[in-house]
Structure formats: structure tokens, C-alpha cells
Amino acid sequence: MSKIYGIDLGTTNSCISVLKDGKPYTIPVDGNGIVPSVVSLDGSNLLVGRKAWNRAAAFPEQSIRSVKRLMGTTEKLKLGNKDYDPEDISAMILRYLCDEALRIEGHEVEKVVITVPAYFSDAQRRATMEAGKRAGLTVERIINEPTAAALFYDHVLASDGEPESKNSAEALPKEASQYALVYDLGGGTFDVSVLHMGEIIEVLASTGDTHLGGDDFDKRIVRHLLHEIKEKEKVDLEDYVPALARLNAVAERAKISLSEKASVRVEETRIPTPKGKSCTVSMEFSREEFEAMTEDFVDRTVASVEKAMEEAKLSPDKIGKVLLVGGMTRMPAIAARLEQIFGGARMPVVDPDLSVSNGASIQGGIISGENCEQILVDVTPHTLSLESLTYDYEQLECSPIIPRNTQIPVTRARTFATVSHHQRIAELKVYQGESRFPADNTLIGETYLELAPAEAHCPILVEYSYDLTGIVHLVAEQKGYSRKTEIRIDSRNPQLFSSQGLQEIEDGADDEDEEAEEQAIAINFVTQRARNLISKMQDGEKKNALAEALARYEKALVDDDSLVDEIEDELLALIEEEALEEE
Ligand code: ADP
Ligand code: MG
């Protein structure tokens, strides 16, 4: 079996690793293996990586960087006189990594594991898969970056013993050694995950911010430089792209220096201006000043850390290790801030730049059977829900089917019910997001189920599956009437589930008033129906029986999936009985 390579396709930098004699090894593409995720066109010559990065400062309009921020969108990117999808640009970076790996190592790269931020949506994961395909690669798996980092850490631990640590864990309770927090601050994204590290690595919670990273820290320095230039040189460069590109590069250098030094002097004499002349800027920044001007960003990451801890139902003293990932974590203020929160937790020194791709190569090894010691458990990054009517039929809401942070692969089914007699169709809208309100979430796919004529409250079983690459499958079934529909959701091409069929059915329907038609396409969550009935029922045996069945049903949904079907049948029978009586 050919080797499966691990690729960290980062916003700012990408890396490619592979297992050599069971150990992860980063292929030294562009010298040290840290390859800028930049492409640039020089005449007809396409440059990728370090060379493209060098050129991008002088020719930003012929270069593309941070394409990862656009993954999952349909935005077009111009390079020369051609338009590209974000997937095409990512494919160029992947192709470059693989071509260079072949040149350096002498082996063709065919199969890969690619990492994405844990917070990436389904559309963003799909786009990443597509980029791999367009690069001519077989993408064996998409995994979360923090999970990959933890896999690498686990490997280091298994082969070399405990790595050096910044502080001691002596004060921690014993169980804490089982829990780790991965804090990943890169160039464009922030991710935080809480992991249980036992015989298997289990992701208990992951959250983050897809629009927070080192680029934002750079922009704060740029803002000061622009202000200074405006004051001293009387020229406003705020919208002048060539100047901004230069200033961004200058700011990033200053920021990196401040990780080592207490202060830095910025001297730049070749800043282009729109009038063709260049201007100068000279400024001193202290580490303290830089920390003060970026404190709100660090605060935002800390808020996410707290949210992840809350989701994992753990307090900081339960965390044994804090893993720092991403180039930005070299900023001393970040480790200092985390030390304040996690007190005695260890911060083992694992390479913040290479741990993700190295971890991905370990996952590659696990898949190809090279290294089977670690099993990875991943989670869904967002809640997947179905739009349904609220119990009072007043409005539409999202009823969760697979909650956020459920281990994947996962299949979950829930029963809904039709709301009207001889309802012709059930409209099925799949949403991703944490809100109760459809308008605040993202619609990632929709279809409908054509129904056989039946009484109102006829059960409709809706099943979602979420696979290891983060792709969603939906199966809906009208129970007892063998009517079924199935879709594979491509959230980036919603027209695939065009509502044409739906339109035809509606057009062909008998004249119904608007309200009836609206009801005819909606369904309603079983638990909500039960709750609604209970609220209207007189106290007595029947009400108690229904309430008791509902309580058992809700408990089973959380605790024991194997009991759900049976209790659900019981609950539906009680609902049906009561609803008939009501009519
Ligand atoms: P990504 O995962 O988004 O590709 P990386 O993990 O490679 O990003 O991190 C890139 C970011 O880290 C950039 O913003 C870069 O400026 C920053 N960075 C790299 N080295 C340092 C350093 N020594 N101090 C502070 N920031 C750094
Ligand atoms: Mg990264």
C-alpha cells in the first residue's frame, strides 16, 4: 500500500509530512518545510510557496494569499486574466507540496490526509476535499487540526517520553493528566479543542473563530504605521494596495521580532505611493505597546477557551496539558495568559509549526495500517437540524438531529409528524448552526418527501448521517407507507436540490387557502407535539402516562439510542390516541 501523506493546508503556511520508520517526518519543502500558502503569477510562470511569497509584497495584484478564508464560498479569484475558484488556488498549493515532495524524496504522492480547523463548516470541508481532487490526489480523510496536533503530541510522548515543559504539573489532581487543551492560533484562524487523551484520543469539545489570526495582529501595527505616514508624510495610503502589501510584510516582521525582543525599530524607506514616489516610515514599538494594542484579540481567544471548557464540562484545574499550536503562539503574551488560567497545567514544547502536518501523517499511517496504536475520535463542528413547526404551529424553528460535538461518524434519526390531513408533501430543510431560528443558521440543503394520503400526525422518520469527511446524508421516510427520499448534501450547490419538483406538486394541488398550503409542507417535532398535548390535557392518568413516556423518550435520546425506537412507538401511539380524542 502506498504511503498516505499528511498535509496541513494552512491559511498562511502549509506543510507536508509522512511517516518514516513509524516516525513523522516533515519534508523540507522551501528549505524548512514551512511553505507560504501563496501563489503568484510572473508572466506566464506560476510561482507557489516561498518564491510566491517574496513576489507577493511587490506584486500583490498578481498574487493570492490567505485563500483558505474563501474556501466554501463561490467567490472568484483573478490571477493574470483568468478567474479561479478558491479550490483551484488551494489545488495549486497542494500540487506544489506534492511535486516538491516527489523531487526531494523520490516518491510520488497519491493519497493524503488534509487537516482543517475544527470549526470549518461542511461547505468548507467539501471545498477542501475538492481542492485535493483538483490537485489529482485521493483525499483519504479530512481531520481537524487540533486533533492532528494532539496525535503528534501523543506520538512524541509514546516514543520520547514527556517532552520538556514550561511549568510543573505537580499541583494537579491525577485525573487531569487525561485532559488536554489545544490552542491553535495561526495566520487566519483560531481553534481551541478540549481532548480526552486515554487509549483513544477523544475530542470533547471544539470551538473557535474562523476570522481571527496573526493577520489581524499585523493589521494593528499597519494601522499605526499608516497613521504615522499620514502625519509625517501627509499621504493617505489606507486604500493603496501596493503600499499596504509592503506595510503588512514590515508589520509581520516587527511582530515576529517582538516575540524575541522587548522592542523593535521599524525603518522602511521604500513604501510606494500612488504618485509614483516612495515614502518612509520610522517607528519604535515596544512589546508592551504591541501587547496592549492586541489585547482584545487575546481576550477573544480566551472567551473561546472558556466556551470550549464549558462545552466539555471541565474546569481549568482538570486540564493536564495545554498544547500551543500555530506560529502566533510564539507570542509570549499568549502563553502567559494561558498560564494564568491553567495555573499548574503543563505546556509541553511541541513544534507549533509542524505538529499539525506531522499528526496528519500519523493519521495517514493509521489508515494505511502502518501504525494502529492510536484511534481517532472526531466530532461534528456544528449542530445539524431540520426545520419544523413549533408545537403551537406559530412559527418555524430548527429541531436538532445531530448536536454539535457529537462523535463522528454518526447516524441519528428523529421522528417528526405531519401536521395536516392528507398532507401531500413534507418539506425537508437541513440547517447548520446553533440558533433555534432558521434565519440565523445556514441552510445547507433541502428536499421534500412526497407523501401517501394519511391522517394528520403521520410519523416521518428523518435520519442524518455525518461521515468522517464531514459530509451529510439525509434519509426521510413516511413510516408505514414505504415512501422514502434520500439526498447527499452539497451545500455549495444548493440548486442540485432545486425546488422544481416541489413547485410542480404545489401547482397540481387542489385549490387550498394559503395557510393550509403552508401547513401542508411543514412537519412538526414529536417531542413538541407531546409537550403541546400535555399542556392542554386535564390532570389524570392519561396525562401522566404521556408525560412519563415523554420523559423516558427524552432520556433515551441522550443516554441510550437503542431504546429510542421502542419508546418512540409507544409515545406516538399515546399522542395519536389523544389527538384523535381532541378532534
Ligand atoms: P496557519 O495555520 O494559519 O497557516 P501558522 O501556524 O503558520 O498559520 O502561523 C502563521 C502566523 O504565525 C503568521 O501570522 C505569522 O506571522 C505568525 N508567526 C510566525 N512566527 C511567529 C513568531 N515567532 N512570533 C509571532 N508570530 C509568529
Ligand atoms: Mg495552522
Side-chain angles (χ1 to χ4, degrees), residues 96-130:
Y96 175 75
L97 290 170
C98 296
D99 287 346
E100 286 298 293
L102 168 65
R103 200 177 57 76
I104 297 167
E105 295 292 308
H107 300 290
E108 188 89 53
V109 180
E110 287 162 358
K111 297 175 184 171
V112 294
V113 169
I114 306 177
T115 60
V116 295
Y119 209 65
F120 250 28
S121 69
D122 191 53
Q124 291 165 306
R125 284 163 200 263
R126 281 180 166 284
T128 307
M129 290 276 275
E130 178 62 25

Side-chain angles (χ1 to χ4, degrees), residues 8-13 68 115 117 145 184-189 191 325-327 352-353 356:
D8 170 5
L9 187 59
T11 310
T12 316
N13 297 302
K68 189 168 173 180
T115 60
E145 287 158 10
D184 180 351
L185 189 57
T189 51
D191 258 292
V325 177
D353 293 307
V356 171

Side-chain angles (χ1 to χ4, degrees), residues 326-543:
M328 257 325 289
T329 61
R330 294 191 199 266
M331 179 178 175
I334 288 172
R337 191 63 181 279
L338 292 170
E339 265 173 44
Q340 277 173 12
I341 302 171
F342 293 98
R346 281 165 190 253
M347 291 198 196
V349 186
V350 284
D351 191 313
D353 293 307
L354 309 181
S355 55
V356 171
S357 70
N358 281 348
S361 76
I362 295 172
Q363 177 68 53
I366 293 168
I367 297 169
S368 64
E370 247 185 284
N371 174 345
C372 297
E373 282 155 29
Q374 291 144 321
I375 303 162
L376 189 59
V377 181
D378 233 330
V379 296
T380 52
H382 302 278
T383 298
L384 291 169
S385 57
L386 186 80
E387 185 181 83
S388 68
L389 271 177
T390 50
Y391 68 89
D392 53 7
Y393 293 3
E394 290 277 311
Q395 55 177 335
L396 291 164
E397 69 172 3
C398 286
S399 300
I401 295 189
I402 301 181
R404 172 177 158 73
N405 283 331
T406 305
Q407 285 179 20
I408 54 174
V410 59
T411 297
R412 284 274 169 88
R414 295 291 172 258
T415 302
F416 293 77
T418 57
V419 295
S420 58
H421 183 63
H422 282 197
Q423 184 168 326
R424 303 182 61 132
I425 48 174
E427 196 176 43
L428 305 162
K429 287 188 169 179
V430 181
Y431 280 87
Q432 170 177 284
E434 310 315 310
S435 172
R436 247 192 76 195
F437 305 106
D440 300 335
N441 291 330
T442 313
L443 178 68
I444 61 165
E446 60 180 304
T447 185
Y448 62 89
L449 174 63
E450 214 176 316
L451 302 171
E455 295 294 314
H457 319 308
C458 172
I460 310 285
L461 186 78
V462 181
E463 182 185 277
Y464 287 4
S465 300
Y466 195 97
D467 72 12
L468 285 165
T469 56
I471 285 159
V472 185
H473 302 256
L474 173 152
V475 183
E477 191 186 346
Q478 183 181 17
K479 269 194 166 173
Y481 292 86
S482 50
R483 292 289 179 103
K484 211 171 171 182
T485 187
E486 230 168 294
I487 51 162
R488 210 182 118 87
I489 291 173
D490 186 342
S491 47
R492 299 184 61 241
N493 292 304
Q495 69 272 19
L496 281 184
F497 326 102
S498 88
S499 51
Q500 237 175 26
L502 192 65
Q503 206 61 48
E504 274 163 26
I505 291 170
E506 276 170 6
D507 288 348
D510 297 332
D511 277 345
E512 281 168 299
D513 64 50
E514 227 173 71
E515 195 187 344
E517 197 167 293
E518 195 176 294
Q519 284 201 355
I521 59 169
I523 50 178
N524 174 248
F525 210 25
V526 163
T527 49
Q528 291 162 357
R529 273 205 60 74
R531 246 178 262 138
N532 185 30
L533 281 175
I534 291 168
S535 71
K536 288 194 276 185
M537 282 165 81
Q538 305 252 319
D539 282 346
E541 234 170 72
K542 278 188 176 166
K543 183 173 174 174

Side-chain angles (χ1 to χ4, degrees), residues 1 59 64 71 96 99 101 110 137 227 245 276 280 284 315 372 391 450 463 483 489 509 544:
M1 190 165 182
F59 302 97
I64 297 172
M71 292 295 271
Y96 175 75
D99 287 346
E110 287 162 358
L137 299 166
H227 184 76
T280 300
E284 177 101 15
S315 53
C372 297
Y391 68 89
E450 214 176 316
E463 182 185 277
R483 292 289 179 103
I489 291 173
N544 291 347

